[in-house]
Amino acid sequence: MPLLKTFSSAILALTVSVAVSAQPQITDSRTNFDSTNKVFRLDGGGVSYIFGVNPKGELQQIYWGGRLAATDSFPQAAPQPDWASFDTSYTTTPQEYASWGAGLFVEPALKISLADGDRDLVLHYQSYSEAPDGFDVVLKDIHYEIYVTLHYAIDKESGILARSAIIESREPQAVTVEQAAAASWSLPAGHYTLNYLTGRWAGEWNLTQEKLQPGERVIESRRGSTGHQANPWFAIQSGEASEEQGEVWFGALAWSGSWRITIEQDQLETVRVTGGYNPFDFGYVLHSGERLETPVFYGGYAAHGLGEASRLLHRFELEHILPRTAATASQPLPKPRPVIYNSWEATEFNVNEAGQMALAEKAAVLGIDRFVMDDGWFGQRKDDHAGLGDWYVNQQKFPHGLKPLIDRVHQLGMDFGLWVEPEMVNPDSDLYRQHPEWVLNFPGRPRSEARNQLVLNLARPDVRAYVLSFLDKLLTENDIAFLKWDYNRNWSEPGWDQLPAAEQKRVYVEFTRNLYAILAELRHRHPNVEIESCSGGGGRVDLGILRYTDEVWPSDNTDPFDRLTQQNGFTYAYTPQIMMAWVTDSPHWLNRRSTSLSYRMLSSMQGSLGIGANIANWTPDENALAKRLIAAYHQVQPTIVQGELYRLISPINGSEFSATQTVSKDKRQSVVFVFIHSTQEGHLFPLLKLKGLDPAANYTLSSIEGKTWPGTPQTASGAWWMNHGLEMDMGFRGDFQAAAFRLDRR
Ligand code: GLA
C-alpha cells in the first residue's frame, strides 16, 4: 500500500483495523457472527467479506477481497481517527451505510428530513438475525424511531454479494427519505482504474476506463429508466486495467428506474462506491410504520482481472438472475435463445398478413426457430404518429386477426413472437382520447412528446391494471411464445397528480415496481412466455429487469463492425446469452458501410444470433450461406452463450484486430472468433494464445464456416493451444474479414 508513507497515521489506523488476529473468534459457525468482537463474516467462492460494529456502535466495513482461511478472525472494528478538525471520524470511517448527520462529508447512503425540520440522522447497530445465506442487520437512529435493516447475502459459488436496505419510520409524523442507497462498498486507499459503460442511442456499451482520481465520479440516470447513456455497473481494478491480471471489485445495481452510483476517492484516498435510487428529484414520504425497500446492489471480487470479473458475473446471471420458463424450471441454466427472425428492418411499420407470411416462409428455410413480428400490427399504426395504447389487431393489415399468421409460422416449424410497447401512448390514440389523465404530467403544463408519444404513468393502479389486462388478453387469445417489450422514450414532466403534492415523487419507485409486478404476473399466468427487454436498443438493461426478461436488445445499431465494440463493452457486465444480435442488410442504414454476409453472420454469432435483414431480397447463395452458418451456430451455441468468455484481443481504441474465445464449462469445447478491421502495412493476425482449456486434453481445431484453412483440422493438446497458440493463415488479411473456429476435445 504505497500511500502508507504519505498518510501514515490515518492509513495506519485503517490497516490496523483489517489486521488478522491470531485466535479464531467465530462463536456461531452457522452465521459466522463473532459476538465477542461483533464481527460479521460472509464467505463464498474465492471471496470473504467482513464487517463489524465498532465501539461507537457504527457498522463498519473491515475486509473485502480474496477468501481467507476459516481459522482467520478479526478484532473488533476500530473507527478511523479524526483527520484534523475538518474531517472527523464519522467521515473518515468506512461505514457500511452512512447516514447524513454528525458532520458526514462523504456520500451518504441515507438522508432523511423529519417533520420538525430535523435532518440529522446517526445510525447505530441494534441487532441482527440470520437470513438463509447471510444476515439482516438492524440499525437505528440514536434518537428517532427510524430503523434501517441491511440485508446481506453471498453466493456460495461466485462470492457475489447481494446487499439492500429497508428503511422504516415509526415516528408519529411523516418523514421524507431524500436519498436512499442500496449499499456502500469501501476499498482501502490505493491506485485504481475505474471501468464503466457509457453511450447513447445507437452507440451503447462503450467501455470507459480512467484512473480513479480524488473526488466523485457520478454515473447515473435521471430519466425514469436505466438509460443508454450509462449502465448501472462498475469495476474498479487495482493498478492498471488488465483483462487477466490484478484484483477487481465490481458491482451492478438491480434497478430499472432512475439510479445513481457514485465512485468516490475521499480525502484519505479511501474509495467508496454508493448506489441506489437517484437522489435527484427524489423524496419518498414514509408515514408511521411505512417502509421503503431499496433495489439490490450486487458486488463481487475477482483476483484475476476484468476477464474473471465478467466470467463470475455471467455465471451468476445465468444461474441466479435470469428467469426460467415452465419448461426450464428444473434446469440449472435457462435454455439458449432460439435463433430469431425479426421483420423490423425489412418492413418497418408496413406489416400485413401476406408480407409477414412470405418472410416467415423464407425464414423457415434458413433454419430460424422463432419468427417475430415487430411494430405496426395494432391500432391505427401506420408510422410512429399513432396507435400506441390501442392494442387491438389492425383490421386492414390482419383482416382475420393474428391467427392465420401464427398458424402458418407454426406449420413452418417456428414459434411466434410479437412486439409491444406497453408503457406508452400516442396522443393520436383511442386510449389517450379516453384517458388523457393517465400520462405522466403536471396539470396545466405542456406534455413534451418524444417520438410523438407520452409515457403512461404506470405507478397509477388503473394504468397498471390496464397494461396487465391487455397483455394477459393478448397472450391468452393468441399462441404467442415471446414478447419484445419496447420502451422508446424517457420521462418528462414526471407528475402524479392523484397524490398529495408532497408524495408525488413516489412515482420514481412505484412506476418501476409496477413494471416488475406486471412482468412477474404475466410470467406466472403464462409460464412459457419469454420476454425481451428493449428500449430503443439497450436503454433498459440491468439486473433488475433481467429477473423478469430472458434477453435484451443491446442496440438499434446493427452495423456488424460497430457491434464488435458494443458486444465487447456489453460482456463486461452481461452474459452473451442475453445479447441478441441480428444480421441485417448491407450497406448498413446507419454507417453506409458494406460488409460481406459472412462477416455479418460471424459478428452476430458472438451473441444470441438473429436475422433482421430483408430476406425477401436474398440471393440463393446468401440463403445457402446463412442456412449453413445457422446450422453451424446451433451446434456450438451453448458454448458461445453459456461458456467462459475470454476477450483475447479488444476491438476498442481503433484496434486493427479483435478476437474472443469461449470455453464450455466442462472444457469439452471452445469457440474462437477473429476479426480484422482493416489490415495495415501487411500486418499478420497476431498469434492467439488460447485460454481456459484442459492442458492435458487433446483438441481438434476446425473451421466453423467450413473453410479449409491450411493446417486444419489440426489436433493438439490444450497446453499447445494455450502456450504455442493458434496461428492464422497468411491469407487472412484485408478489410472487414472474419473467421470462426471450434475446438472439440477428443
Ligand atoms: C425501437 C426498437 C426497434 C424497433 C422499433 C419499432 O426502436 O429498438 O428494434 O422495434 O422500436 O418501432
Side-chain angles (χ1 to χ4, degrees):
M1 202 183 294
L3 286 166
L4 266 178
K5 291 188 195 97
T6 336
F7 293 103
S8 51
S9 66
I11 303 297
L12 203 58
L14 181 71
T15 329
V16 169
S17 75
V18 301
V20 177
S21 77
Q23 292 305 310
Q25 299 288 320
I26 303 294
T27 51
D28 183 339
S29 59
R30 272 185 312 156
T31 60
N32 279 345
F33 176 60
D34 167 358
S35 56
T36 312
N37 290 327
K38 296 206 176 75
V39 171
F40 295 89
R41 173 172 179 159
L42 296 147
D43 295 299
V47 181
S48 293
Y49 189 87
I50 322 275
F51 62 102
V53 184
N54 69 28
K56 295 200 298 186
E58 296 156 355
L59 200 65
Q60 177 178 342
Q61 203 238 42
I62 297 175
Y63 174 85
W64 183 23
R67 184 146 181 175
L68 305 171
T71 48
D72 293 331
S73 66
F74 288 79
Q76 184 170 20
Q80 292 292 301
D82 293 352
W83 181 264
S85 52
F86 296 96
D87 284 312
T88 63
S89 169
Y90 195 68
T91 271
T92 58
T93 298
Q95 294 191 56
E96 284 287 280
Y97 200 80
S99 51
W100 189 71
L104 184 84
F105 300 112
V106 291
E107 193 62 54
L110 184 64
K111 181 173 185 303
I112 288 186
S113 277
L114 286 103
D116 61 3
D118 193 340
R119 305 189 309 283
D120 182 68
L121 194 72
V122 175
L123 296 172
H124 279 180
Y125 171 76
Q126 206 183 45
S127 63
Y128 87 98
S129 57
E130 288 173 40
D133 43 3
F135 305 103
D136 284 323
V137 180
V138 180
L139 311 177
K140 180 188 172 300
D141 179 61
I142 51 176
H143 173 70
Y144 291 114
E145 291 289 299
I146 305 244
Y147 296 82
V148 176
T149 304
L150 300 180
H151 178 68
Y152 290 83
I154 192 161
D155 173 35
K156 294 291 173 210
E157 275 96 50
S158 63
I160 291 179
L161 291 133
R163 292 183 55 191
S164 57
I166 297 173
I167 300 129
E168 180 179 351
S169 171
R170 294 183 206 154
E171 282 295 303
Q173 288 185 289
V175 307
T176 305
V177 180
E178 294 175 344
Q179 182 162 348
S184 288
W185 309 93
S186 302
L187 303 179
H191 296 294
Y192 297 102
T193 303
L194 171 64
N195 303 268
Y196 56 107
L197 293 162
T198 56
R200 59 183 183 279
W201 174 80
E204 303 90 335
W205 311 111
N206 293 302
L207 180 69
T208 303
Q209 302 181 299
E210 64 196 21
K211 182 175 178 302
L212 202 58
Q213 303 279 0
E216 193 167 86
R217 162 62 73 190
V218 178
I219 53 173
E220 65 172 349
S221 161
R222 299 178 175 190
R223 297 164 178 269
S225 65
T226 324
H228 303 73
Q229 294 71 13
N231 191 267
W233 166 87
F234 74 90
I236 295 175
Q237 180 149 29
S238 143
E240 304 292 313
S242 162
E243 196 59 26
E244 300 298 338
Q245 275 157 20
E247 291 185 289
V248 179
W249 294 263
F250 57 92
L253 186 69
W255 186 242
S256 315
S258 290
W259 59 273
R260 192 179 78 158
I261 297 175
T262 56
I263 301 104
E264 183 176 16
Q265 190 158 43
D266 69 17
Q267 306 82 328
L268 305 177
E269 309 213 349
T270 303
V271 176
R272 305 173 198 227
V273 181
T274 301
Y277 293 123
N278 194 326
F280 178 82
D281 199 35
F282 196 78
Y284 197 98
V285 174
L286 291 178
H287 299 279
S288 191
E290 285 185 344
R291 302 161 137 219
L292 170 64
E293 189 167 352
T294 71
V296 178
F297 200 173
Y298 294 96
Y301 166 83
H304 304 291
L306 293 165
E308 187 191 351
S310 56
R311 288 188 289 277
L312 287 170
L313 257 178
H314 295 172
R315 192 137 303 281
F316 181 73
E317 289 158 1
L318 286 166
E319 288 177 0
H320 299 293
I321 300 285
L322 291 168
R324 301 288 189 276
T325 59
T328 60
S330 58
Q331 303 295 314
L333 299 182
K335 75 176 189 334
R337 306 287 72 227
V339 174
I340 65 140
Y341 178 77
N342 179 295
S343 62
W344 173 246
E345 289 198 24
T347 64
E348 298 212 334
F349 300 94
N350 192 17
V351 296
N352 57 47
E353 190 178 290
Q356 292 291 301
M357 278 189 187
L359 285 169
E361 275 151 26
K362 286 256 174 187
V365 175
L366 301 178
I368 297 284
D369 304 309
R370 171 172 290 168
F371 183 84
V372 183
M373 177 161 67
D374 212 281
D375 199 348
W377 59 269
F378 53 90
Q380 296 308 308
R381 187 80 166 160
K382 297 184 186 65
D383 53 29
D384 61 18
H385 285 82
L388 282 176
D390 297 342
W391 297 103
Y392 59 85
V393 179
N394 182 295
Q395 283 297 306
Q396 284 80 47
K397 298 178 182 183
F398 297 92
H400 315 289
L402 295 178
K403 192 167 187 309
L405 173 62
I406 296 178
D407 286 350
R408 183 72 190 122
V409 166
H410 289 164
Q411 279 164 10
L412 291 164
M414 300 178 289
D415 67 25
F416 181 78
L418 195 62
W419 181 95
V420 288
E421 192 175 0
E423 300 142 276
M424 298 288 168
V425 68
N426 287 117
D428 185 0
S429 66
D430 296 342
L431 184 71
Y432 188 73
R433 284 183 280 273
Q434 276 162 24
H435 290 293
E437 76 285 8
W438 274 12
V439 298
L440 291 175
N441 77 98
F442 293 118
R445 302 285 303 170
R447 299 173 175 203
S448 302
E449 293 176 21
R451 209 193 192 208
N452 312 301
Q453 62 197 57
L454 297 168
V455 184
L456 289 172
N457 182 359
L458 203 60
R460 289 174 62 118
D462 43 9
V463 173
R464 168 181 159 160
Y466 167 77
V467 169
L468 177 62
S469 81
F470 92 72
L471 286 167
D472 183 36
K473 185 164 179 282
L474 192 64
L475 293 175
T476 305
E477 291 177 354
N478 300 285
D479 193 350
I480 293 172
F482 168 80
L483 291 177
K484 173 177 170 182
W485 183 304
D486 213 335
Y487 184 84
N488 273 312
R489 61 161 293 180
N490 294 129
W491 291 8
S492 56
E493 301 100 16
W496 181 1
D497 62 353
Q498 286 181 308
L499 298 189
E503 306 206 3
Q504 290 196 11
K505 292 177 180 174
R506 269 176 180 256
V507 70
Y508 284 104
V509 175
E510 309 306 341
F511 186 111
T512 304
R513 281 196 185 153
N514 280 352
L515 168 66
Y516 293 159
I518 292 167
L519 287 164
E521 182 59 22
L522 281 177
R523 296 194 77 110
H524 173 68
R525 293 189 197 173
H526 305 276
N528 274 318
V529 79
E530 296 182 337
I531 303 174
E532 174 178 279
S533 174
C534 172
S535 172
R540 193 153 64 186
V541 183
D542 58 78
L543 294 191
I545 200 86
L546 285 174
R547 288 182 300 224
Y548 309 98
T549 54
D550 306 82
E551 60 183 57
V552 303
W553 183 225
S555 181
D556 277 350
N557 182 351
T558 52
D559 178 294
F561 175 62
D562 283 3
R563 273 288 177 119
L564 296 183
T565 319
Q566 295 189 309
Q567 291 173 176
N568 177 71
F570 185 96
T571 60
Y572 281 90
Y574 303 105
T575 164
Q577 157 105 357
I578 62 163
M579 184 173 78
M580 303 309 291
W582 305 345
V583 172
T584 58
D585 286 319
S586 175
H588 192 262
W589 59 268
L590 184 64
N591 293 324
R592 309 308 303 160
R593 176 179 293 117
S594 296
T595 50
S596 69
L597 181 58
S598 150
Y599 181 87
R600 282 177 271 150
M601 291 288 300
L602 295 189
S603 170
S604 292
M605 283 162 66
Q606 288 187 300
S608 284
L609 176 66
I611 306 286
N614 192 352
I615 48 178
N617 297 335
W618 276 11
T619 63
D621 281 355
E622 287 174 318
N623 287 335
L625 176 63
K627 185 176 177 178
R628 193 153 47 77
L629 287 178
I630 289 171
Y633 176 77
H634 271 134
Q635 283 181 17
V636 290
Q637 185 183 6
T639 300
I640 296 172
V641 299
Q642 299 183 339
E644 304 289 302
L645 172 70
Y646 296 88
R647 290 173 291 256
L648 300 179
I649 304 177
S650 166
I652 66 175
N653 299 327
S655 173
E656 214 172 321
F657 310 107
S658 72
T660 61
Q661 182 202 357
T662 41
V663 183
S664 62
K665 201 178 174 198
D666 61 9
K667 296 182 187 286
R668 297 185 68 82
Q669 188 175 66
S670 179
V671 176
V672 179
F673 288 97
V674 293
F675 298 89
I676 297 176
H677 171 200
S678 182
T679 299
Q680 291 165 28
E681 300 172 345
H683 294 154
L684 296 182
F685 201 92
L687 189 65
L688 274 186
K689 297 200 176 191
L690 303 186
K691 309 246 183 222
L693 302 173
D694 176 353
N698 278 325
Y699 293 88
T700 301
L701 176 85
S702 53
S703 157
I704 285 186
E705 311 104 283
K707 277 194 189 146
T708 322
W709 285 72
T712 60
Q714 179 187 349
T715 301
S717 69
W720 196 93
W721 294 117
M722 292 193 288
N723 296 318
H724 171 276
L726 167 59
E727 216 170 342
M728 285 313 132
D729 175 42
M730 291 267 295
F732 188 52
R733 279 180 280 168
D735 294 345
F736 304 112
Q737 298 294 311
F741 304 91
R742 55 187 282 180
L743 292 104
D744 293 280
R745 193 149 113 180
R746 287 165 55 104

